[in-house]
Amino acid sequence: MASKISKPDEDLLCCVCCEIFTDPVIMSCSHSVCRTCLQQFWRSKGSRECPVCRRRSSKENPPLNRALKNLCETFLEKESRQRSSAGSEGGVCSLHNEKLKLFCLDDQQPVCVICQTSKNHKNHIFCPIDEAVTDCKTKLQTALEPLQKNLKVLEEAKQDYDQTAAHIKTQTQHTERQIKQEFEKLHQFLRDEEAVRIAALKEEEEQKSQMMRRKIEEMNEEISSLSDTIRNIEKEMEAEDIQFLQFYIFRVQRSPKHPEKTSGALINVAKHLSNLKFRVWQKMQEIIQYTPVTLDPNTAPPHLHLSDDLTAVEKRHQISSVPDNPERFDEYACVLGSEGFNSGTHCWDVQFAERDYWELGLIPESVTRKGNSFWNSAWSLGYNKSDDKYWIRCPGQSVLSLTPKEKLQRVRVQLDWDRGKLTFTDLLTNTHLHTITHTFTERFLPLFYNKSVYPLRILPVKTSVTVEQDS
């Protein structure tokens, strides 16, 4: 038999509510009452007096009886432990103090043999406790299995999130390095261009300064000569008449020189500053490449490697660690263009050597990339080295064999979305290969498939700067 729960000492009971003290306060007469009970008592009486001895209290807010409060909390905690201990020792009926041996199926609670015959459980169905425990454990185990499966799914999802979070950080660091490298190239170009232009300015300054130094030296010589002449004239004017006349006739025969103005002596500021930023930008075209289509690394499976400038893709035996996000292909060595098209005309050129297996074309943006079902929605030109065959793939149609005049090494893919045309052209021979016609109604993305360790590369286009004047 489990030990009985102890009853509280009368010293722990409030005289007003007859319950264990809650927030007890001590009055000037040394009696203690629950703070709430005291306030209610005072309101009903209309005067501040002790509920025990009726002595009038001088304090409107009596202080807390901390010692009594601690005793009450200790008792409640001890009582709670005893109840827990009683339950763990086999369970005792709180009404009849008998061991709980039966389980009422109607009320879903354990009962003793006396409860079984009471009116509260009249006509109820009972079973032994051990049978009820077995049945409940079976039901709980059945309910636990989907929870365990769900927990596993959540843990796997969290693992994916953790991997994605780590990959985001890696992507950011790698992209930041590439951005800094690209800007460093631009900065270096500008520094070099600045140095060249300042050197040209200094060279012009040196040339024109040298010319002016020569002019100044010549002018100094003329000034010195002319000064000597003036002094001589002034001296001769003091001579005798005959000597003066002889000197005068000689001086009149000499014609003085007049200095010439020097044209083009100043720095050609317009040459150095006129449209400076435009001319630097124009020259910058020599180091800048523009590729009409770039690759989206978030769509490439782990066994594909993309170049840093996102224009080339090749297969690698080493598998990288990337999240399995919905945009990414999982089985096939496919990667998509970073931008889709839903209007207009677009063109991109692709270069490759002889490869195992490649394919170029379009795929709807909405199509799932997992598995191989996406091929049913692809418009593409493909090649397989094992049987040396080219083909055209269109949704809902049989694969069409294609026989180009020469091995394809460069192919132009041209999309006219509005007219519903996708054209493939051999760039080396400028030969039309095939045109697919279809009424496009949604957004499409360029598709690239490369099953080779040799890179498949999207070629840059030539850029030029044109100036148009408003009429």
Side-chain angles (χ1 to χ4, degrees):
M1 185 78 62
S3 60
K4 297 181 180 179
I5 305 300
S6 60
K7 293 184 179 180
D9 191 280
E10 291 184 358
D11 293 337
L12 302 182
L13 299 179
C14 172
C15 65
V16 178
C17 63
C18 299
E19 298 289 343
I20 296 176
F21 282 109
T22 303
D23 197 19
V25 295
I26 185 167
M27 305 186 69
S28 54
C29 59
S30 299
H31 291 121
S32 294
V33 190
C34 295
R35 187 183 298 277
T36 304
C37 295
L38 181 63
Q39 296 297 333
Q40 292 175 349
F41 181 78
W42 282 356
R43 281 197 297 271
S44 64
K45 282 298 220 178
S47 60
R48 294 199 301 267
E49 59 182 38
C50 173
V52 180
C53 64
R54 298 298 190 266
R55 182 177 175 180
R56 188 170 180 81
S57 174
S58 59
K59 297 180 181 180
E60 185 176 354
N61 292 308
L64 176 68
N65 190 339
R66 193 171 299 277
L68 181 58
K69 181 181 180 183
N70 291 339
L71 285 173
C72 293
E73 289 177 350
T74 302
F75 175 80
L76 291 173
E77 184 179 355
K78 181 179 178 183
E79 183 184 44
S80 176
R81 286 199 301 268
Q82 288 179 341
R83 289 184 185 276
S84 176
S85 175
S88 63
E89 290 175 0
V92 175
C93 178
S94 59
L95 297 176
H96 308 107
N97 210 23
E98 293 287 338
K99 192 171 182 179
L100 302 172
K101 295 182 177 181
L102 300 174
F103 186 77
C104 178
L105 299 177
D106 295 86
D107 292 336
Q108 290 291 299
Q109 67 177 30
V111 295
C112 67
V113 291
I114 300 177
C115 291
Q116 182 184 17
T117 59
S118 67
K119 62 179 180 179
N120 291 335
H121 295 277
K122 187 177 181 180
N123 298 326
H124 287 188
I125 301 174
F126 301 89
C127 71
I129 283 288
D130 54 350
E131 289 184 12
V133 169
T134 303
D135 292 342
C136 289
K137 283 185 177 180
T138 302
K139 292 178 181 178
L140 196 59
Q141 183 62 38
T142 304
L144 188 61
E145 289 177 0
L147 295 179
Q148 290 172 333
K149 291 180 181 179
N150 191 32
L151 177 61
K152 186 177 181 181
V153 170
L154 292 175
E155 288 175 344
E156 291 175 352
K158 181 184 177 297
Q159 187 176 1
D160 289 341
Y161 291 156
D162 291 340
Q163 184 184 12
T164 301
H167 190 65
I168 288 172
K169 190 171 183 179
T170 302
Q171 277 185 310
T172 302
Q173 293 172 346
H174 180 67
T175 306
E176 181 180 354
R177 283 196 301 270
Q178 288 180 277
I179 290 173
K180 288 182 177 179
Q181 289 172 4
E182 292 301 316
F183 270 94
E184 178 55 32
K185 292 176 184 176
L186 295 177
H187 294 158
Q188 188 59 48
F189 170 83
L190 292 175
R191 286 193 291 266
D192 294 344
E193 194 65 21
E194 177 188 12
V196 168
R197 293 178 183 275
I198 290 178
L201 173 63
K202 295 295 184 182
E203 183 180 358
E204 184 181 358
E205 178 196 20
E206 179 60 26
Q207 290 175 353
K208 294 190 173 179
S209 295
Q210 244 181 16
M211 179 185 68
M212 293 312 298
R213 282 195 295 270
R214 287 197 303 269
K215 294 284 185 183
I216 291 171
E217 288 175 3
E218 292 173 1
M219 193 59 61
N220 286 335
E221 291 176 0
E222 286 291 327
I223 290 173
S224 177
S225 176
L226 187 57
S227 296
D228 292 343
T229 301
I230 291 172
R231 282 194 300 270
N232 290 336
I233 290 173
E234 290 175 344
K235 184 177 179 181
E236 292 296 335
M237 287 178 67
E238 297 175 357
E240 297 294 334
D241 294 344
I242 297 300
Q243 289 180 348
F244 170 74
L245 288 174
Q246 289 176 349
F247 175 79
Y248 174 76
I249 292 171
F250 174 75
R251 291 298 177 191
V252 169
Q253 291 175 350
R254 293 183 64 184
S255 58
K257 292 182 179 180
H258 294 282
E260 297 178 356
K261 297 290 184 180
T262 303
S263 178
L266 299 179
I267 295 294
N268 190 350
V269 176
K271 169 188 171 184
H272 298 287
L273 292 183
S274 178
N275 293 313
L276 175 61
K277 286 181 282 191
F278 174 81
R279 287 186 289 114
V280 171
W281 175 63
Q282 196 173 30
K283 189 175 179 181
M284 194 180 289
Q285 305 302 309
E286 299 172 6
I287 67 165
I288 292 177
Q289 288 187 341
Y290 172 73
T291 308
V293 170
T294 56
L295 305 174
D296 182 0
N298 293 336
T299 65
H303 53 278
L304 280 188
H305 173 74
L306 272 58
S307 60
D308 287 343
D309 61 358
L310 305 179
T311 62
V313 56
E314 61 190 58
K315 189 175 180 181
R316 289 275 180 92
H317 296 299
Q318 184 179 2
I319 296 178
S320 58
S321 177
V322 293
D324 186 22
N325 48 300
E327 300 87 358
R328 195 180 304 278
F329 292 94
D330 56 353
E331 295 183 12
Y332 285 83
C334 291
V335 62
L336 297 178
S338 59
E339 294 184 7
F341 311 120
N342 56 6
S343 64
T345 301
H346 309 275
C347 179
W348 56 97
D349 300 335
V350 184
Q351 175 180 286
F352 35 76
E354 290 189 14
R355 286 169 171 75
D356 301 329
Y357 192 166
W358 56 260
E359 200 151 347
L360 313 169
L362 292 174
I363 190 174
E365 186 178 35
S366 59
V367 172
T368 180
R369 290 90 189 264
K370 308 302 181 184
N372 62 357
S373 61
F374 67 91
W375 286 118
N376 298 327
S377 303
W379 285 263
S380 59
L381 162 68
Y383 172 71
N384 191 343
K385 185 178 180 180
S386 60
D387 54 11
D388 195 23
K389 287 184 179 180
Y390 296 89
W391 66 84
I392 294 292
R393 188 193 301 271
C394 295
Q397 300 179 22
S398 300
V399 175
L400 175 66
S401 295
L402 192 67
T403 308
K405 296 179 180 178
E406 297 183 12
K407 293 284 186 183
L408 298 180
Q409 296 181 29
R410 290 189 181 184
V411 171
R412 171 165 294 171
V413 185
Q414 188 165 3
L415 169 66
D416 189 338
W417 195 95
D418 300 320
R419 293 185 179 181
K421 291 184 178 181
L422 179 63
T423 302
F424 300 97
T425 305
D426 181 358
L427 276 182
L428 294 184
T429 62
N430 198 24
T431 303
H432 171 262
L433 297 172
H434 190 81
T435 296
I436 299 173
T437 57
H438 177 77
T439 303
F440 299 114
T441 57
E442 56 182 307
R443 185 180 178 87
F444 281 80
L445 293 167
L447 172 69
F448 304 89
Y449 176 75
N450 184 19
K451 198 180 177 181
S452 171
V453 295
Y454 300 101
L456 179 151
R457 189 177 304 278
I458 307 168
L459 299 176
V461 297
K462 291 183 178 180
T463 58
S464 61
V465 178
T466 58
V467 179
E468 294 184 1
Q469 221 167 5
D470 294 335
S471 56

